[in-house]
Amino acid sequence: MNIYVLVKRTFDTEEKIVVSGGKIQEDGAEFIINPYDEYAIEEAIQVRDAHGGEVTVLTMGGEDAEKQLRTALAMGADKAVLINTEDDLDEMDQFTAAQILADYLKDKNPDLILAGNVAIDGGSGQVGPRVADLLDINYVTTITKLEINGTQVNIVRDVEGDSEVLETSLPLLVTAQQGLNEPRYPSLPGIMKAKKKPLDEVELDDLDIDEDDVEAKTETIEIYLPPKKEAGRVLQGDLSNQVQELVQLLRTEAKVV
Amino acid sequence: MNFDLSQEHQMIRKTMKEFADKVVAPGAIERDRTKAFPKEIFKQLADMGMMGLPFSEEYGGAGADTISFAIVTEELSRACASTGITYSAHISLGGAPLNLFGTEEQKHKYLTPICTGETFGAFGLTEPNAGSDAGGTQTRAVEDGDDFVINGSKVYITNASYAKHLAITAITGEVDGKKEISAIIVPTDAEGFTVIDNYEKMGLNASNTTELVLENVRVPKENLLGKRGEGFRQFLVTLDGGRIGIGAMAVGIAQAAFDRALRYSKERKQFGKPLSDFQITQFKLADMAMKIELARTMVYKAAWLKDQGRPFSKEASMCKLYASEIAMQIADQAVQIHGGYGYMKEYEVERYMRDAKLCEIGEGTSEVQRMVIARLIGC
């Protein structure tokens, strides 16, 4: 089975985000594999171990993303591909990412593509489904269970806490939800071998992509941190006074009524 | 000159940091209280291929370097020093002498199960009257036909309850009026071999520390490890590597103490401001951070020298000595910053203080480290 995993390099969940000059500061920050993509990698490895084939992890971005790809290789992926957009693109959005990934994948005949449900940074959850649409294959998002028999695929997906059971067929793209599996720690032999596994780097030119064709369709106007959480207020006095005060505050201070 | 860790080192650190935080740290207080050996954790470490870290793949190891060993030991110790010392002793006292001095056959037979995690590694050196002063060794191995018959006792032996075999030192004869000391591999299930696990320790409660009693234990002569009469020199070489492990362990404890002290001093408010706003606390924390940085750098340097195949005895002693002493100071100050809370087990820092003390004692006391360093600087 020819399996691809779409991986994104994101901020470590423990990082404190600092915004300055309208941009998120990356200096000195720790980066990780997007946690939802880790479920996708783990599932890909399990599917390969059960059905044979090869797992390729695919990401786009700069040179720095090599570290996350090597981690995926250490976990057990077979090959890695970095689409290096560092020199070609300053801005990208979901449209850009999906277009480039789909262009890369279109002649690779993937049987199964896995991605995270969302990236914890942008959080759009769009790239996976968009790629499937561009490749004209089936897709199912937020899956928590995956069973493959031949080309027949049985899936459980999470719908806001409920489960939906569905059947579909390969080729297929799925996005992983928490609960799909427990991602393994890279083993020491895996880490030692990761460097020897193939990691290809391609640029937009190699894919015959003109940067104007993948220009972002959206523009970021402003980036700001959520307001600091203030201490709450406990109203006192008798009940009718409290209600009166509450209504007053909702009108004048919170301005919600 | 390059102070960067390699990509593999960074990956090992990240993996072990996550593992230590998620798997090792949660039960540390409980294990300290109940003295439960962290068996399940080591099963997982074996699955991750960590138990044979520096040894050749031929024997089931992973062929990683000493810096990797220091990283793993530090991260485990940061979460639970009992787990850290168990690991360090497994590799550097249990596996290393077999790897360094064993025959091909001995390595396949005894090192491989250590690498796979089937057995823990241990090393039987210390006796009631002998530790770093090997001259006090009293355990004797007498030749009888094709066998050695061993009598004697060992104290403070790490991991022996969970080891299927271990190397011990014993007097095998006398040369020019001096004791001839050799190392011999002994299966722990041999007749006459008793492992006693009933010490009541100050700290490192979840690690296994035992007393060994050998009464007419018979092992074939082929169990001799390395050269006859070289037991003492071999144990010195083994301890050089072990000291890097204790240094890394001490850095891990110090880091844990510092992390908690920093966090607590930012949360705790007294006299209207967080403790971290008081210069006295700031200076304490600054000193802690500096000492940890220096200790870790020294551990890495000793490990790096070892990996380069260069002499590293002096640096190993220096890193062990310095890291142990600053771990003790930092744990002490971490308790102090926590005040009354720090004296309570729930806040973990008191455990660090009890655990750190061992680092100044095990694998050569601080005094012995100073003797080693003094000798190596030409005194």
Side-chain angles (χ1 to χ4, degrees):
Chain A
M1 198 175 298
N2 191 9
I3 307 165
Y4 278 83
V5 188
L6 312 182
V7 172
K8 189 174 186 185
R9 170 181 181 265
T10 58
F11 267 77
D12 193 324
T13 44
E14 283 168 27
E15 279 302 329
K16 205 171 166 218
I17 306 290
V18 179
V19 176
S20 84
K23 287 215 149 129
I24 295 169
Q25 291 307 301
E26 297 196 350
D27 291 350
E30 284 288 324
F31 286 85
I32 55 169
I33 296 175
N34 174 44
Y36 291 98
D37 301 350
E38 278 193 346
Y39 300 122
I41 296 166
E42 175 64 35
E43 197 66 16
I45 294 168
Q46 288 184 20
V47 169
R48 178 205 59 198
D49 289 349
H51 300 272
E54 205 171 56
V55 175
T56 307
V57 282
L58 174 61
T59 195
M60 49 190 293
E63 206 72 58
D64 295 339
E66 195 190 312
K67 209 167 150 185
Q68 281 66 42
L69 289 178
R70 291 280 177 211
T71 304
L73 292 173
M75 285 173 77
D78 302 290
K79 296 198 304 198
V81 177
L82 167 65
I83 304 174
N84 195 332
T85 56
E86 217 165 14
D87 300 333
D88 297 323
L89 297 171
D90 290 329
E91 300 290 332
M92 60 169 111
D93 65 1
Q94 297 80 4
F95 165 77
T96 315
Q99 200 68 43
I100 293 170
L101 291 169
D103 261 339
Y104 177 83
L105 288 164
K106 67 183 178 209
D107 57 359
K108 303 288 186 292
N109 296 317
D111 297 299
L112 181 65
I113 303 171
L114 297 105
N117 160 36
V118 289
I120 56 160
D121 49 9
S124 78
Q126 286 191 28
V127 174
R130 277 174 181 261
V131 167
D133 191 56
L134 289 165
L135 294 175
D136 198 21
I137 60 172
N138 294 337
Y139 73 86
V140 183
T141 58
T142 60
I143 71 160
T144 55
K145 197 176 172 194
L146 178 71
E147 262 177 25
I148 301 172
N149 299 305
T151 58
Q152 167 91 19
V153 185
N154 296 314
I155 288 176
V156 179
R157 71 182 288 264
D158 170 53
V159 225
E160 306 285 322
D162 283 330
S163 292
E164 185 177 25
V165 180
L166 34 92
E167 281 179 20
T168 177
S169 61
L170 300 177
L172 173 72
L173 183 144
V174 292
T175 71
Q177 171 69 308
Q178 189 172 8
L180 178 62
N181 52 44
E182 191 57 49
R184 68 193 66 193
Y185 293 103
S187 74
L188 183 58
I191 291 171
M192 304 296 290
K193 277 180 212 130
K195 209 172 189 169
K196 292 173 200 138
K197 289 183 177 174
L199 191 154
D200 285 341
E201 204 177 310
V202 295
E203 295 196 9
L204 296 193
D205 275 353
D206 302 318
L207 301 173
D208 283 329
I209 296 174
D210 189 330
E211 49 242 53
D212 294 339
D213 293 340
V214 292
E215 197 185 342
K217 300 261 190 200
T218 55
E219 192 187 340
T220 303
I221 310 283
E222 197 188 348
I223 289 179
Y224 56 90
L225 292 171
K228 257 210 173 122
K229 207 176 164 194
E230 305 280 340
R233 250 179 80 188
V234 181
L235 301 177
Q236 302 200 324
D238 71 66
L239 202 59
S240 60
N241 282 345
Q242 280 190 46
V243 172
Q244 244 172 20
E245 198 184 345
L246 179 63
V247 171
Q248 168 86 5
L249 286 172
L250 287 173
R251 255 189 236 285
T252 58
E253 216 165 90
K255 296 188 171 114
V256 292
V257 286
Chain B
M1 194 85 195
N2 181 358
F3 278 102
D4 277 331
L5 292 174
S6 74
Q7 215 169 41
E8 283 86 2
H9 294 144
Q10 291 178 39
M11 230 187 270
I12 292 171
R13 174 174 295 289
K14 193 172 176 308
T15 304
M16 288 313 298
K17 188 177 186 317
E18 261 182 66
F19 180 79
D21 288 341
K22 277 192 200 151
V23 180
V24 185
I29 293 178
E30 184 64 10
R31 289 192 300 272
D32 175 59
R33 200 173 61 74
T34 59
K35 305 183 181 181
F37 188 72
K39 239 183 154 171
E40 193 47 44
I41 291 171
F42 280 97
K43 210 175 147 283
Q44 289 189 56
L45 284 169
D47 289 344
M48 288 161 74
M50 293 289 171
M51 297 306 274
L53 181 140
F55 308 119
S56 161
E57 289 171 45
E58 200 187 334
Y59 313 112
D65 59 9
T66 313
I67 294 176
S68 306
F69 164 66
I71 291 170
V72 175
T73 306
E74 181 192 329
E75 285 302 327
L76 291 175
S77 305
R78 187 176 55 76
C80 166
S82 290
T83 304
I85 196 171
T86 303
Y87 181 77
S88 181
H90 170 84
I91 299 278
S92 67
L93 299 184
L98 293 167
N99 187 51
L100 285 167
F101 311 114
T103 62
E104 202 54 31
E105 202 188 330
Q106 285 173 335
K107 286 191 210 182
H108 280 288
K109 191 167 172 190
Y110 300 112
L111 183 57
T112 303
I114 284 179
C115 291
T116 57
E118 191 190 322
T119 175
F120 278 84
F123 186 55
L125 168 79
T126 308
E127 297 189 9
N129 294 307
S132 299
D133 175 14
T137 303
Q138 285 168 323
T139 298
R140 262 178 203 283
V142 179
E143 285 171 78
D144 182 28
D146 289 336
D147 298 334
F148 281 120
V149 177
I150 311 167
N151 278 286
S153 63
K154 301 281 174 184
V155 294
Y156 312 141
I157 306 305
T158 306
N159 289 348
S161 299
Y162 301 92
K164 291 187 175 158
H165 51 79
L166 79 169
I168 57 132
T169 48
I171 305 163
T172 45
E174 221 167 89
V175 180
D176 305 330
K178 273 190 164 176
K179 286 173 183 171
E180 179 199 74
I181 294 171
S182 307
I184 301 167
I185 303 165
V186 185
T188 50
D189 63 358
E191 208 183 312
F193 195 120
T194 317
V195 181
I196 305 163
D197 171 19
N198 64 1
Y199 285 122
E200 292 191 39
K201 294 181 288 183
M202 176 181 187
L204 295 177
N205 282 322
S207 79
N208 175 247
T209 311
T210 64
E211 210 175 327
L212 311 180
V213 180
L214 296 95
E215 284 173 324
N216 293 319
V217 173
R218 190 173 278 273
V219 296
K221 272 188 189 164
E222 66 193 37
N223 279 24
L224 183 76
L225 177 63
K227 290 206 185 88
R228 186 166 177 155
E230 294 270 295
F232 184 61
R233 191 193 63 84
Q234 289 174 17
F235 115 76
L236 286 181
V237 174
T238 302
L239 282 195
D240 278 345
R243 282 166 187 161
I244 296 173
I246 301 292
M249 173 188 166
V251 172
I253 300 173
Q255 182 71 50
F258 167 75
D259 289 345
R260 290 208 173 261
L262 177 64
R263 200 173 72 197
Y264 183 80
S265 63
K266 286 202 254 185
E267 288 164 7
R268 172 73 168 173
K269 280 192 182 140
Q270 288 286 273
F271 306 102
K273 53 184 182 179
L275 296 187
S276 61
D277 281 5
F278 291 92
Q279 201 176 46
I280 180 122
T281 318
Q282 292 175 354
F283 281 13
K284 280 183 185 185
L285 290 165
D287 283 351
M288 287 181 182
M290 171 186 71
K291 287 171 182 172
I292 292 169
E293 193 73 31
L294 290 173
R296 185 180 291 118
T297 305
M298 197 64 215
V299 169
Y300 286 169
K301 180 167 181 192
W304 178 81
L305 283 169
K306 183 168 186 277
D307 288 333
Q308 302 301 311
R310 310 230 300 250
F312 66 97
S313 302
K314 184 179 71 186
E315 288 77 8
S317 273
M318 284 177 169
C319 86
K320 194 266 192 190
L321 171 61
Y322 184 72
S324 313
E325 294 195 343
I326 64 113
M328 200 56 208
Q329 294 158 14
I330 290 171
D332 174 34
Q333 285 306 308
V335 172
Q336 194 65 25
I337 286 172
H338 280 72
Y341 294 100
Y343 204 65
M344 301 296 136
K345 287 191 192 259
E346 190 191 340
Y347 284 77
E348 315 236 9
V349 285
E350 65 82 37
R351 187 181 83 248
Y352 302 153
M353 195 171 160
R354 289 183 286 113
D355 289 351
K357 187 63 199 171
L358 182 277
C359 299
E360 294 183 307
I361 297 169
E363 304 199 27
T365 59
S366 291
E367 292 70 25
V368 163
Q369 305 310 323
R370 289 188 165 85
M371 283 165 64
V372 171
I373 295 165
R375 186 163 42 78
L376 289 167
I377 57 174
C379 290

Short mmCIF file of all heavy atoms in Angstrom, two decimals, chain B residues 192-232:
data_model
loop_
_atom_site.label_atom_id
_atom_site.label_comp_id
_atom_site.label_asym_id
_atom_site.label_seq_id
_atom_site.Cartn_x
_atom_site.Cartn_y
_atom_site.Cartn_z
N GLY B 192 23.99 -21.44 46.87
CA GLY B 192 24.82 -20.75 47.87
C GLY B 192 24.84 -19.24 47.68
O GLY B 192 25.48 -18.52 48.45
N PHE B 193 24.13 -18.74 46.65
CA PHE B 193 24.11 -17.30 46.37
C PHE B 193 22.80 -16.71 46.91
O PHE B 193 21.72 -17.11 46.51
CB PHE B 193 24.19 -17.08 44.85
CG PHE B 193 24.52 -15.65 44.46
CD1 PHE B 193 25.67 -15.38 43.73
CD2 PHE B 193 23.70 -14.59 44.81
CE1 PHE B 193 25.99 -14.08 43.35
CE2 PHE B 193 24.01 -13.29 44.45
CZ PHE B 193 25.16 -13.04 43.71
N THR B 194 22.91 -15.77 47.84
CA THR B 194 21.72 -15.14 48.40
C THR B 194 21.74 -13.63 48.14
O THR B 194 22.77 -12.98 48.36
CB THR B 194 21.64 -15.35 49.92
OG1 THR B 194 22.00 -16.71 50.20
CG2 THR B 194 20.23 -15.09 50.44
N VAL B 195 20.62 -13.12 47.66
CA VAL B 195 20.48 -11.67 47.48
C VAL B 195 19.51 -11.16 48.55
O VAL B 195 18.38 -11.61 48.62
CB VAL B 195 19.92 -11.33 46.08
CG1 VAL B 195 19.79 -9.82 45.90
CG2 VAL B 195 20.81 -11.91 44.98
N ILE B 196 19.98 -10.27 49.38
CA ILE B 196 19.13 -9.75 50.46
C ILE B 196 18.74 -8.30 50.15
O ILE B 196 19.61 -7.46 49.93
CB ILE B 196 19.86 -9.80 51.82
CG1 ILE B 196 20.34 -11.23 52.09
CG2 ILE B 196 18.95 -9.31 52.95
CD1 ILE B 196 21.40 -11.33 53.17
N ASP B 197 17.43 -8.07 50.13
CA ASP B 197 16.93 -6.74 49.77
C ASP B 197 16.17 -6.16 50.96
O ASP B 197 14.96 -6.12 50.96
CB ASP B 197 16.02 -6.89 48.52
CG ASP B 197 15.27 -5.61 48.18
OD1 ASP B 197 15.68 -4.54 48.64
OD2 ASP B 197 14.27 -5.71 47.45
N ASN B 198 16.88 -5.76 52.01
CA ASN B 198 16.13 -5.19 53.13
C ASN B 198 16.78 -3.96 53.75
O ASN B 198 16.61 -3.66 54.91
CB ASN B 198 15.82 -6.25 54.19
CG ASN B 198 17.08 -6.79 54.84
OD1 ASN B 198 18.18 -6.35 54.49
ND2 ASN B 198 16.96 -7.70 55.78
N TYR B 199 17.54 -3.22 52.91
CA TYR B 199 18.08 -1.96 53.42
C TYR B 199 16.97 -0.95 53.64
O TYR B 199 16.01 -0.92 52.88
CB TYR B 199 19.07 -1.36 52.41
CG TYR B 199 20.40 -2.05 52.36
CD1 TYR B 199 20.87 -2.59 51.17
CD2 TYR B 199 21.23 -2.14 53.49
CE1 TYR B 199 22.10 -3.21 51.09
CE2 TYR B 199 22.46 -2.76 53.41
CZ TYR B 199 22.90 -3.29 52.21
OH TYR B 199 24.12 -3.89 52.15
N GLU B 200 17.13 -0.12 54.63
CA GLU B 200 16.25 1.04 54.77
C GLU B 200 17.10 2.26 54.47
O GLU B 200 18.00 2.60 55.22
CB GLU B 200 15.67 1.09 56.18
CG GLU B 200 14.71 -0.06 56.42
CD GLU B 200 13.92 0.12 57.70
OE1 GLU B 200 13.52 1.26 57.99
OE2 GLU B 200 13.74 -0.89 58.39
N LYS B 201 16.80 2.89 53.34
CA LYS B 201 17.68 3.95 52.84
C LYS B 201 17.10 5.34 53.12
O LYS B 201 15.92 5.51 53.37
CB LYS B 201 17.85 3.78 51.33
CG LYS B 201 18.61 2.53 50.93
CD LYS B 201 18.78 2.44 49.42
CE LYS B 201 17.49 2.13 48.72
NZ LYS B 201 17.68 1.98 47.26
N MET B 202 17.99 6.32 52.99
CA MET B 202 17.59 7.72 53.13
C MET B 202 16.76 8.16 51.93
O MET B 202 15.77 8.89 52.07
CB MET B 202 18.87 8.56 53.20
CG MET B 202 18.68 10.05 53.25
SD MET B 202 20.33 10.81 53.29
CE MET B 202 19.90 12.51 53.56
N GLY B 203 17.16 7.71 50.76
CA GLY B 203 16.46 8.10 49.53
C GLY B 203 16.61 7.03 48.48
O GLY B 203 16.97 5.90 48.79
N LEU B 204 16.32 7.39 47.24
CA LEU B 204 16.37 6.45 46.11
C LEU B 204 15.63 5.17 46.49
O LEU B 204 16.11 4.05 46.23
CB LEU B 204 17.82 6.15 45.72
CG LEU B 204 18.60 7.35 45.17
CD1 LEU B 204 20.05 6.96 44.89
CD2 LEU B 204 17.95 7.90 43.91
N ASN B 205 14.48 5.36 47.11
CA ASN B 205 13.76 4.22 47.68
C ASN B 205 13.23 3.23 46.66
O ASN B 205 13.02 2.07 46.98
CB ASN B 205 12.61 4.73 48.54
CG ASN B 205 13.11 5.21 49.88
OD1 ASN B 205 14.03 4.61 50.46
ND2 ASN B 205 12.57 6.31 50.37
N ALA B 206 13.00 3.72 45.43
CA ALA B 206 12.46 2.80 44.43
C ALA B 206 13.57 2.08 43.67
O ALA B 206 13.30 1.24 42.81
CB ALA B 206 11.56 3.55 43.45
N SER B 207 14.82 2.38 43.99
CA SER B 207 15.90 1.62 43.36
C SER B 207 16.22 0.42 44.23
O SER B 207 15.93 0.41 45.43
CB SER B 207 17.14 2.49 43.16
OG SER B 207 17.87 2.63 44.36
N ASN B 208 16.80 -0.59 43.62
CA ASN B 208 17.04 -1.85 44.30
C ASN B 208 18.49 -1.90 44.80
O ASN B 208 19.43 -1.89 44.00
CB ASN B 208 16.75 -3.00 43.31
CG ASN B 208 17.08 -4.37 43.87
OD1 ASN B 208 18.00 -5.03 43.38
ND2 ASN B 208 16.37 -4.80 44.88
N THR B 209 18.65 -1.88 46.12
CA THR B 209 20.00 -1.93 46.70
C THR B 209 20.08 -3.16 47.59
O THR B 209 19.22 -3.34 48.45
CB THR B 209 20.27 -0.66 47.53
OG1 THR B 209 19.92 0.48 46.75
CG2 THR B 209 21.72 -0.57 47.93
N THR B 210 21.08 -3.99 47.36
CA THR B 210 21.06 -5.31 48.00
C THR B 210 22.39 -5.68 48.64
O THR B 210 23.43 -5.07 48.37
CB THR B 210 20.74 -6.40 46.96
OG1 THR B 210 21.81 -6.43 46.01
CG2 THR B 210 19.44 -6.14 46.25
N GLU B 211 22.29 -6.70 49.44
CA GLU B 211 23.45 -7.32 50.05
C GLU B 211 23.58 -8.70 49.41
O GLU B 211 22.57 -9.37 49.19
CB GLU B 211 23.13 -7.50 51.55
CG GLU B 211 24.28 -7.44 52.47
CD GLU B 211 23.78 -7.51 53.92
OE1 GLU B 211 22.67 -6.98 54.21
OE2 GLU B 211 24.47 -8.11 54.71
N LEU B 212 24.79 -9.12 49.08
CA LEU B 212 24.98 -10.43 48.48
C LEU B 212 25.77 -11.31 49.44
O LEU B 212 26.77 -10.87 50.00
CB LEU B 212 25.76 -10.33 47.16
CG LEU B 212 25.31 -9.28 46.14
CD1 LEU B 212 26.23 -9.35 44.91
CD2 LEU B 212 23.87 -9.50 45.73
N VAL B 213 25.30 -12.53 49.61
CA VAL B 213 26.06 -13.48 50.41
C VAL B 213 26.41 -14.67 49.54
O VAL B 213 25.54 -15.27 48.91
CB VAL B 213 25.25 -13.93 51.65
CG1 VAL B 213 26.07 -14.93 52.48
CG2 VAL B 213 24.85 -12.74 52.50
N LEU B 214 27.71 -14.99 49.47
CA LEU B 214 28.16 -16.12 48.65
C LEU B 214 28.76 -17.17 49.56
O LEU B 214 29.77 -16.91 50.25
CB LEU B 214 29.20 -15.66 47.62
CG LEU B 214 28.71 -14.68 46.56
CD1 LEU B 214 29.02 -13.24 46.98
CD2 LEU B 214 29.34 -14.98 45.21
N GLU B 215 28.11 -18.34 49.60
CA GLU B 215 28.59 -19.44 50.43
C GLU B 215 28.89 -20.63 49.55
O GLU B 215 27.98 -21.26 49.02
CB GLU B 215 27.53 -19.82 51.47
CG GLU B 215 27.43 -18.84 52.62
CD GLU B 215 26.26 -19.16 53.54
OE1 GLU B 215 25.20 -19.61 53.03
OE2 GLU B 215 26.41 -18.97 54.74
N ASN B 216 30.18 -20.88 49.37
CA ASN B 216 30.62 -21.99 48.51
C ASN B 216 29.92 -21.97 47.15
O ASN B 216 29.42 -22.99 46.69
CB ASN B 216 30.38 -23.35 49.19
CG ASN B 216 31.28 -23.52 50.40
OD1 ASN B 216 32.46 -23.15 50.35
ND2 ASN B 216 30.71 -24.04 51.48
N VAL B 217 29.88 -20.79 46.55
CA VAL B 217 29.26 -20.68 45.22
C VAL B 217 30.27 -21.18 44.19
O VAL B 217 31.40 -20.70 44.12
CB VAL B 217 28.85 -19.22 44.93
CG1 VAL B 217 28.38 -19.10 43.49
CG2 VAL B 217 27.75 -18.77 45.89
N ARG B 218 29.82 -22.12 43.38
CA ARG B 218 30.72 -22.77 42.44
C ARG B 218 30.40 -22.31 41.02
O ARG B 218 29.26 -22.43 40.57
CB ARG B 218 30.53 -24.29 42.58
CG ARG B 218 31.50 -25.16 41.86
CD ARG B 218 31.28 -26.63 42.23
NE ARG B 218 31.90 -27.00 43.51
CZ ARG B 218 33.18 -27.41 43.60
NH1 ARG B 218 33.94 -27.50 42.53
NH2 ARG B 218 33.67 -27.73 44.77
N VAL B 219 31.39 -21.74 40.36
CA VAL B 219 31.18 -21.37 38.95
C VAL B 219 32.39 -21.87 38.13
O VAL B 219 33.50 -21.95 38.66
CB VAL B 219 31.05 -19.84 38.73
CG1 VAL B 219 29.82 -19.29 39.43
CG2 VAL B 219 32.29 -19.09 39.16
N PRO B 220 32.17 -22.23 36.86
CA PRO B 220 33.30 -22.70 36.05
C PRO B 220 34.34 -21.60 35.86
O PRO B 220 34.01 -20.42 35.83
CB PRO B 220 32.66 -23.10 34.73
CG PRO B 220 31.31 -22.47 34.71
CD PRO B 220 30.90 -22.26 36.12
N LYS B 221 35.59 -22.00 35.70
CA LYS B 221 36.69 -21.04 35.55
C LYS B 221 36.51 -20.13 34.34
O LYS B 221 37.04 -19.03 34.30
CB LYS B 221 38.00 -21.81 35.42
CG LYS B 221 38.65 -22.10 36.75
CD LYS B 221 40.03 -22.67 36.49
CE LYS B 221 40.66 -23.20 37.76
NZ LYS B 221 41.80 -24.08 37.44
N GLU B 222 35.79 -20.65 33.34
CA GLU B 222 35.57 -19.83 32.14
C GLU B 222 34.76 -18.57 32.45
O GLU B 222 34.65 -17.67 31.63
CB GLU B 222 34.87 -20.66 31.06
CG GLU B 222 33.46 -21.05 31.48
CD GLU B 222 32.83 -22.13 30.61
OE1 GLU B 222 33.55 -23.04 30.18
OE2 GLU B 222 31.61 -22.03 30.37
N ASN B 223 34.16 -18.50 33.65
CA ASN B 223 33.40 -17.30 34.03
C ASN B 223 34.28 -16.13 34.45
O ASN B 223 33.78 -15.06 34.77
CB ASN B 223 32.43 -17.63 35.18
CG ASN B 223 31.17 -18.29 34.68
OD1 ASN B 223 31.19 -18.89 33.61
ND2 ASN B 223 30.10 -18.17 35.43
N LEU B 224 35.60 -16.37 34.45
CA LEU B 224 36.52 -15.27 34.73
C LEU B 224 36.27 -14.17 33.70
O LEU B 224 36.20 -14.43 32.50
CB LEU B 224 37.96 -15.78 34.61
CG LEU B 224 39.06 -14.77 34.93
CD1 LEU B 224 39.16 -14.56 36.44
CD2 LEU B 224 40.40 -15.24 34.37
N LEU B 225 36.09 -12.93 34.19
CA LEU B 225 35.84 -11.81 33.27
C LEU B 225 37.13 -11.02 33.10
O LEU B 225 37.68 -10.48 34.06
CB LEU B 225 34.73 -10.90 33.82
CG LEU B 225 34.42 -9.65 33.00
CD1 LEU B 225 33.89 -9.99 31.61
CD2 LEU B 225 33.41 -8.76 33.73
N GLY B 226 37.62 -10.98 31.88
CA GLY B 226 38.87 -10.28 31.61
C GLY B 226 40.04 -11.11 32.07
O GLY B 226 39.95 -12.33 32.17
N LYS B 227 41.13 -10.42 32.43
CA LYS B 227 42.34 -11.16 32.79
C LYS B 227 42.40 -11.41 34.29
O LYS B 227 41.98 -10.59 35.10
CB LYS B 227 43.58 -10.35 32.38
CG LYS B 227 43.79 -10.26 30.89
CD LYS B 227 45.28 -10.05 30.59
CE LYS B 227 45.52 -9.84 29.11
NZ LYS B 227 45.42 -8.43 28.71
N ARG B 228 42.96 -12.53 34.62
CA ARG B 228 43.15 -12.87 36.02
C ARG B 228 44.09 -11.85 36.66
O ARG B 228 45.11 -11.49 36.09
CB ARG B 228 43.77 -14.27 36.10
CG ARG B 228 43.86 -14.75 37.51
CD ARG B 228 44.14 -16.23 37.53
NE ARG B 228 44.28 -16.63 38.93
CZ ARG B 228 44.06 -17.83 39.36
NH1 ARG B 228 43.70 -18.77 38.52
NH2 ARG B 228 44.20 -18.11 40.63
N GLY B 229 43.71 -11.36 37.81
CA GLY B 229 44.55 -10.38 38.50
C GLY B 229 44.32 -8.95 38.04
O GLY B 229 44.90 -8.01 38.57
N GLU B 230 43.46 -8.79 37.04
CA GLU B 230 43.20 -7.44 36.52
C GLU B 230 41.90 -6.86 37.07
O GLU B 230 41.44 -5.82 36.62
CB GLU B 230 43.10 -7.49 34.98
CG GLU B 230 44.40 -7.86 34.29
CD GLU B 230 45.23 -6.62 33.98
OE1 GLU B 230 44.78 -5.80 33.17
OE2 GLU B 230 46.31 -6.48 34.57
N GLY B 231 41.29 -7.57 37.99
CA GLY B 231 39.99 -7.17 38.51
C GLY B 231 39.94 -5.74 39.00
O GLY B 231 38.99 -5.01 38.75
N PHE B 232 41.01 -5.33 39.67
CA PHE B 232 41.02 -3.98 40.24
C PHE B 232 41.11 -2.92 39.15
O PHE B 232 40.36 -1.95 39.14
CB PHE B 232 42.20 -3.86 41.22
CG PHE B 232 42.23 -2.53 41.94
CD1 PHE B 232 41.17 -2.14 42.75
CD2 PHE B 232 43.31 -1.67 41.79
CE1 PHE B 232 41.19 -0.92 43.40
CE2 PHE B 232 43.32 -0.44 42.44
CZ PHE B 232 42.27 -0.06 43.25
#
